[in-house]
Amino acid sequence: MLAIVHPPQGNVKMPVEVNATQGSLLGFLYDGPKTGWDLLQEIDRGLARFWNVTPSHVYRELRTLQDRKLVSAGRTGVRDRRPFTITAAGKEAFKHWIAQEPGPEQIRNPLLITLWFGRHLDDDTLAAILESNRDVHTERLRYYESIPTTDRHTNAVVAFGVAYEKAVIAWIDELTGTSLSPAPSGAGTSSE
């Protein structure tokens, strides 16, 4: 016998779904009202290296959140900046979003693409690329080590950044200390 399933009706409240960018903006607004500019500055001070958000994306998502009544916009102030405040519905949407499994990560590192096809580069060019990338990661490590953390959760994110940069620097040092000639067929790394 087939059971008939009826969708929720009446006053059953379904959680509002938000994407990761919307969720992160709601998280920043949970601490108090902020303009789009304030949000971009706060993102740039820490989260930017872990989550890529462009200015146009922030402003577009703020409009969407406002249309969905998850944030409310205040009066336009200095330099046409408008503060946004999270609403009660926005707080509920944030609580639902932050409690969800975040999903799998995707490593997106342009250096890995270059190395994948590195056999098409001469040794000096590849060495210069590796040295340049080492410098970038060394500077990023200094930056992460200078970020003041306000709580154990922010500290965990910054600690990840520090550990990641140290690992990448060590990996580049290992690569520059070894030959990058092709590995034997079926091997995952070069032992030469």
Side-chain angles (χ1 to χ4, degrees):
M1 175 179 233
L2 286 175
I4 298 175
V5 178
H6 298 283
Q9 296 179 7
N11 61 3
V12 175
K13 188 174 179 184
M14 299 300 289
V16 175
E17 296 294 327
V18 295
N19 64 40
T21 300
Q22 293 168 349
S24 65
L25 294 176
L26 290 172
F28 284 120
L29 292 172
Y30 212 98
D31 296 330
K34 292 176 181 62
T35 65
W37 173 258
D38 296 334
L39 289 164
L40 287 167
Q41 296 306 300
E42 193 158 347
I43 290 166
D44 193 49
R45 283 192 296 271
L47 194 59
R49 289 300 315 147
F50 305 104
W51 189 253
N52 184 21
V53 181
T54 64
S56 62
H57 201 183
V58 166
Y59 289 108
R60 182 176 61 243
E61 294 295 6
L62 282 171
R63 281 190 302 277
T64 299
L65 291 169
Q66 185 180 4
D67 291 345
R68 295 175 68 195
K69 302 200 181 333
L70 301 178
V71 301
S72 62
R75 293 182 187 257
T76 302
V78 179
R79 297 187 180 140
D80 288 331
R81 293 184 183 159
R82 174 180 269 189
F84 290 87
T85 304
I86 191 169
T87 64
K91 287 181 179 182
E92 287 302 314
F94 174 74
K95 287 177 185 178
H96 176 73
W97 171 77
I98 197 64
Q100 302 302 308
E101 179 68 32
E105 67 183 82
Q106 177 66 42
I107 297 175
R108 296 179 64 95
N109 184 330
L111 177 58
L112 297 177
I113 303 296
T114 299
L115 286 174
W116 189 269
F117 297 106
R119 67 186 174 278
H120 301 289
L121 294 172
D122 61 79
D123 290 344
D124 290 341
T125 300
L126 189 54
I129 289 170
L130 289 168
E131 181 180 346
S132 172
N133 274 266
R134 189 189 193 288
D135 292 345
V136 167
H137 288 280
T138 300
E139 187 60 34
R140 236 183 255 156
L141 174 61
R142 285 188 198 114
Y143 173 70
Y144 290 147
E145 290 174 335
S146 74
I147 294 175
T149 56
T150 56
D151 59 55
R152 65 188 176 107
H153 304 97
T154 305
N155 186 53
V157 175
V158 173
F160 173 86
V162 168
Y164 174 81
E165 297 305 337
K166 286 180 176 180
V168 171
I169 292 166
W171 172 71
I172 291 173
D173 288 348
E174 184 180 324
L175 287 176
T176 57
T178 63
S179 169
L180 288 175
S181 58
S185 180
T189 59
S190 174
S191 60
E192 297 180 297

